[in-house]
Amino acid sequence: MSALIADGETVLLDSGTTCLEVAHLPRRRPVTVMPLSLQAVHALGESPGPATLTVPGGQPRAAEGARTGPLTLASLAALRFDTAVMGCCGLSAAEGLTAYDLDDAAVKKAGIASSRRIVVAADGGKLGHTAFAHAGPATLLHTLVTDTTAPADEVAALEGAGVVVKVA
């Protein structure tokens, strides 16, 4: 995943368990990172390094500390990112990127709108599934990083939609 982010980039890091794992990668790189969860803020801030940490406004959700609400949306609207690393609750070529609730989907939409390149990090179990709230079509995504459990037919459909799929 870290090979997809160049030194000097500005990176938006979505909330969720997969993106929390990604938070450990850029802290030793000269990048600017805005994580959307309190857990990722902590992970990025726990050891000194050349990464610059930027924290958005907003209310943290109880479960994972994900930022949400009007202040989060305003923070995202005010900035532009080179790369957004997004998580998801479901992803399919037909239905796109989806989330379990409307607030999470709104933050994902705002993050996508503020970023030049969208990288989705999702385990194979999320592919081919659709959650309640739509965050964006698959055609907006540039790269999907997934694992070997990803269904081959869904990988092929996403590639057909123009998404570069990398299996890690």
Side-chain angles (χ1 to χ4, degrees), residues 10 65 69 75 80 98 101 107 113 118 124 133 145 159:
T10 55
S75 294
R80 296 296 174 261
T98 56
D101 66 68
V107 170
I118 313 304
V145 178
E159 288 174 331

Side-chain angles (χ1 to χ4, degrees), residues 4 81-86 91 97 111-121 137-145 158-159 161-166:
L4 296 174
F81 301 93
D82 295 309
T83 301
V85 178
M86 306 301 291
L91 174 62
L97 191 72
I112 289 168
S114 295
S115 303
R116 287 189 308 113
R117 184 169 59 115
I118 313 304
V119 175
V120 174
T139 54
L140 291 178
L141 311 179
H142 296 91
T143 306
L144 166 66
V145 178
L158 287 164
E159 288 174 331
V163 180
V164 174
V165 178
K166 297 189 177 288

Side-chain angles (χ1 to χ4, degrees), residues 40-167:
V41 168
H42 178 68
L44 282 159
E46 67 186 11
S47 67
T52 301
L53 180 62
T54 302
V55 181
Q59 298 171 312
R61 289 173 39 185
E64 74 279 345
R67 296 295 178 108
T68 190
L71 291 176
T72 303
L73 297 176
S75 294
L76 293 172
L79 301 171
R80 296 296 174 261
F81 301 93
D82 295 309
T83 301
V85 178
M86 306 301 291
C88 65
C89 302
L91 174 62
S92 73
E95 298 295 331
L97 191 72
T98 56
Y100 287 126
D101 66 68
L102 295 173
D103 289 336
D104 189 25
V107 170
K108 289 180 188 320
K109 285 180 186 180
I112 289 168
S114 295
S115 303
R116 287 189 308 113
R117 184 169 59 115
I118 313 304
V119 175
V120 174
D123 66 73
K126 294 178 181 175
L127 273 58
H129 294 281
T130 303
F132 175 67
H134 187 257
T139 54
L140 291 178
L141 311 179
H142 296 91
T143 306
L144 166 66
V145 178
T146 190
D147 59 29
T148 58
T149 67
D153 59 335
E154 193 60 47
V155 168
L158 287 164
E159 288 174 331
V163 180
V164 174
V165 178
K166 297 189 177 288
V167 178

